[in-house]
């Protein structure tokens, strides 16, 4: 099943809902699997849609929003665009959107995956810098897509780690609109965040920016990620989401939300490099005029994007494809743990056992003169204590399957294979120099 077929299924379902085929028994139309969120103004449920044939379609996310709350306008606008043929790559598909009994009912695509909060929590502290370099540019792309959906920008206003979904690799198949490129899928490491585009969810408090307004009519948001203007100090615009993106970057790097103390010290902490600190400080300026003026501008300034070392770019092509551009060396390092075998493979056991036997023999020869070769004492000490052990270790290193070592040994992972190969080559050259010296001495 390809992407067009998947879209066709959604469109047929939209048509059926629009024609009222599922509205004859609204109380029984949905089977609720579980409630995802419940507030005074909104109920969000994971549901299955029952059909007349007795089968079920789903799962889907169903939201019931009180119209008196002033929430949910973004769903209406996005649904209108989708009915006109527009498709979004990093926003969930809206299947149906209608008013019923004073409430707005929205049926959305269910994106399987983990939230950004879960992905960061599961990542080791040493991997968070690379995680941020990988995810924050893609989240900036998603925000740019949202901002550019309408003629007037659509501002999310609640960009938090729980409102960004990193789709499961298993769900990012060729049939999914969120599928990664073929090359990216082939190199997948099994980490959801690595292979698929982050998806923005929960547009309940999103609003369209209106020129000339001095402030928002409603003031919502998560405190740690909401800028001052969101609390009545002005009208929110795209720069308000830029503020939240800066806070998301801090969260990705540290695994925690920023505090007033972090702001006072300019976000200077061990986990945040100077390059990241500069971006976060500018993005979270209290004055919107001092921030990046768009998510795209912030993306271009991110570490790894600005210097060209890592560039994740998700284009705006109409086929909703994904592209992931990075250096081949980084791709190998990124996905080296995809299928890392145990260190104690048959090959490595044989190499280690052989090296151990030879080193043990060298130790015996060193301390037992009957094994000495013809020549002075210092030559035998040089041979059995330095030359032969070095040659054994170098040859053993060359023959080992080193994938487990690069995936689990800290300094090797930090070095990368390229630098480790350079060091190995240097050691190999030294070993050959030792061989030349040893042969030259023996022939004298």
């Amino acid at each position: 099943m390809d992407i067009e077929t998947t879209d066709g299924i959604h469109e047929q379902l939209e048509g059926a809902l629009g024609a009222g085929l599922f509205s004859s028994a609204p109380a029984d139309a949905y089977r609720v699997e579980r409630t995802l969120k419940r507030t005074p103004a909104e109920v969000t449920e994971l549901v299955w849609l029952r059909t007349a044939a007795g089968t079920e379609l789903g799962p889907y996310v169903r939201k019931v929003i009180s119209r008196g709350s002033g929430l949910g306008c973004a769903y209406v606008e996005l649904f209108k665009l989708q009915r006109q043929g527009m498709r979004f790559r990093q926003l969930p598909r809206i299947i149906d959107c209608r008013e019923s009994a004073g409430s707005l009912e929205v049926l959305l695509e269910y994106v399987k995956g983990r939230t950004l909060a879960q992905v960061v929590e599961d990542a080791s502290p040493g991997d968070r810098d690379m995680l941020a370099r990988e995810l924050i540019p893609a989240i900036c792309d998603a925000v740019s897509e949202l901002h550019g959906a309408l003629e007037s920008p659509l501002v999310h206003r609640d960009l938090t780690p729980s409102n960004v979904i990193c789709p499961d690799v298993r769900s990012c198949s060729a049939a999914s609109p969120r599928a990664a490129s073929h090359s990216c899928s082939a190199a997948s490491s099994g980490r959801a965040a690595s292979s698929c585009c982050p998806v923005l969810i929960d547009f309940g408090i999103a609003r369209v920016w209106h020129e000339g307004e001095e402030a928002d009519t409603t003031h919502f948001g998560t405190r740690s990620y909401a800028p001052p203007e969101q609390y009545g100090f002005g009208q929110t615009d795209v720069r308000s989401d830029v503020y939240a993106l800066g806070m998301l970057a801090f969260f990705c790097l540290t695994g925690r939300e920023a505090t007033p103390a972090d702001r006072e010290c300019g976000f200077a902490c061990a986990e945040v490099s100077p390059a990241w600190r500069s971006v976060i400080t500018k993005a979270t300026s209290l004055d919107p005029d001092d921030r990046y003026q768009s998510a795209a501008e912030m993306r271009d300034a991110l570490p790894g994007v600005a210097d060209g070392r890592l560039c994740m770019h998700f284009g705006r092509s109409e086929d909703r494809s994904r592209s992931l551009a990075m250096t081949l060396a980084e791709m190998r390092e990124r996905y080296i743990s995809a299928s890392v075998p145990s260190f104690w493979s048959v090959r490595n056991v044989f190499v280690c056992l052989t090296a151990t036997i030879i080193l043990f023999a060298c130790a015996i020869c060193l301390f037992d003169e009957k094994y000495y070769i013809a020549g002075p004492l210092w030559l035998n000490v040089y041979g059995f204590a330095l030359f032969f052990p070095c040659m054994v270790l170098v040859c053993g290193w060359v023959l080992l399957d080193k994938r487990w070592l690069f995936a689990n040994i800290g300094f090797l992972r930090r070095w990368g294979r390229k630098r480790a190969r350079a060091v190995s080559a240097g050691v190999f050259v030294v070993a050959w120099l030792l061989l030349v010296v040893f042969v030259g001495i023996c022939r004298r």
Side-chain angles (χ1 to χ4, degrees):
M1 182 183 292
D2 57 15
I3 292 173
E4 288 73 15
T5 305
T6 306
D7 283 346
I9 293 173
H10 284 311
E11 286 161 4
Q12 290 176 22
L13 179 56
E14 288 176 18
L17 289 166
L21 298 183
F22 296 97
S23 60
S24 58
D28 300 327
Y30 299 101
R31 177 177 67 82
V32 179
E33 181 173 314
R34 68 177 186 271
T35 299
L36 302 176
K37 183 174 73 171
R38 183 182 295 274
T39 68
E42 174 188 328
V43 176
T44 303
E45 300 168 325
L46 185 66
V47 302
W48 295 77
L49 186 60
R50 293 191 174 102
T51 68
T55 59
E56 291 183 334
L57 300 175
Y60 294 99
V61 174
R62 179 174 179 249
K63 290 179 174 286
V64 180
I65 304 171
S66 171
R67 293 302 279 167
S69 65
L71 306 179
C73 298
Y75 292 113
V76 177
E77 298 297 332
L78 291 172
F79 185 59
K80 288 179 181 177
L81 293 175
Q82 288 186 178
R83 294 299 293 268
Q84 295 169 8
M86 182 174 288
R87 295 292 178 263
F88 301 104
R89 297 167 295 100
Q90 290 179 263
L91 309 179
R93 180 76 174 265
I94 301 177
I95 309 301
D96 189 37
C97 184
R98 66 178 65 197
E99 290 192 36
S100 175
S103 298
L104 178 68
E105 295 186 7
V106 185
L107 190 67
L108 303 110
E109 169 193 5
Y110 174 61
V111 182
K112 296 181 181 180
R114 296 180 294 165
T115 64
L116 178 62
Q118 293 169 326
V119 170
V120 172
E121 181 181 358
D122 293 343
S124 64
D127 292 335
R128 285 178 180 156
D129 183 85
M130 182 57 70
L131 186 69
R133 289 173 180 264
E134 182 175 346
L135 285 177
I136 297 301
I139 297 173
C140 287
D141 284 341
V143 174
S144 295
E145 184 176 47
L146 179 65
H147 290 170
L150 301 172
E151 291 185 4
S152 295
L154 186 57
V155 186
H156 192 287
R157 299 205 305 164
D158 198 20
L159 290 173
T160 66
S162 61
N163 285 340
V164 178
I165 298 293
C166 299
D168 285 335
V169 172
R170 289 185 300 274
S171 68
C172 290
S173 63
S176 170
R178 259 162 285 284
S181 66
H182 175 73
S183 60
C184 188
S185 298
S188 170
S189 68
R191 291 188 313 174
S194 299
S195 298
C196 297
C197 294
V199 179
L200 304 183
I201 63 171
D202 202 348
F203 307 108
I205 69 171
R207 66 181 294 274
V208 178
W209 178 81
H210 298 287
E211 186 175 359
E213 288 192 7
E214 295 182 356
D216 295 355
T217 55
T218 55
H219 312 303
F220 296 101
T222 305
R223 187 172 187 83
S224 298
Y225 300 89
E229 63 267 23
Q230 201 157 320
Y231 292 99
F233 296 96
Q235 182 187 187
T236 52
D237 58 22
V238 296
R239 297 170 298 181
S240 304
D241 284 346
V242 168
Y243 180 98
L245 285 170
M247 290 301 186
L248 283 178
F250 182 87
F251 176 81
C252 278
L253 292 165
T254 63
R256 62 180 178 84
E257 295 179 346
T259 64
D262 291 316
R263 175 181 289 282
E264 291 174 4
C265 69
F267 302 99
C269 54
E271 302 96 327
V272 183
S273 66
W276 276 109
R277 194 177 307 150
S278 173
V279 171
I280 295 171
T281 301
K282 182 176 177 65
T284 59
S285 297
L286 297 180
D287 186 348
D289 291 336
D290 294 335
R291 301 173 198 156
Y292 298 105
Q293 297 304 292
S294 68
E297 182 182 349
M298 176 178 171
R299 183 196 186 284
D300 291 340
L302 292 173
V305 174
D307 60 23
R309 290 200 312 113
L310 174 65
C311 179
M312 291 183 66
H313 178 70
F314 302 100
R316 295 180 175 273
S317 57
E318 295 181 358
D319 64 354
R320 304 161 75 188
S321 63
R322 301 289 185 268
S323 63
L324 176 62
M326 64 178 73
T327 65
L328 292 176
E330 285 178 330
M331 181 176 287
R332 284 194 298 269
E333 297 303 324
R334 180 78 48 80
Y335 300 111
I336 195 169
S337 61
S339 56
V340 178
S342 168
F343 177 78
W344 299 111
S345 61
V346 174
R347 170 181 167 183
N348 283 5
V349 169
F350 177 78
V351 172
C352 291
L353 184 61
T354 303
T356 301
I357 293 173
I358 296 175
L359 291 175
F360 184 70
C362 287
I364 293 176
C365 293
L366 180 64
F367 294 102
D368 192 339
E369 294 185 2
K370 68 180 181 180
Y371 296 109
Y372 281 10
I373 59 177
L377 176 63
W378 66 265
L379 180 60
N380 286 276
V381 173
Y382 169 79
F384 294 125
L386 182 62
F387 172 69
F388 289 118
C390 284
M391 291 299 294
V392 169
L393 292 176
V394 169
C395 293
W397 173 259
V398 171
L399 294 173
L400 278 176
D401 181 347
K402 295 178 279 293
R403 285 177 290 176
W404 185 91
L405 297 174
F406 280 101
N408 294 278
I409 305 300
F411 76 92
L412 288 176
R413 187 168 60 246
R414 290 191 298 270
W415 275 9
R417 288 196 167 191
K418 187 174 182 180
R419 186 179 298 179
R421 287 195 189 101
V423 173
S424 299
V427 174
F428 194 72
V429 170
V430 171
W432 274 103
L433 290 176
L434 292 174
L435 175 61
V436 171
V437 172
F438 184 74
V439 173
I441 293 174
C442 289
R443 295 182 64 180
R444 290 178 59 181

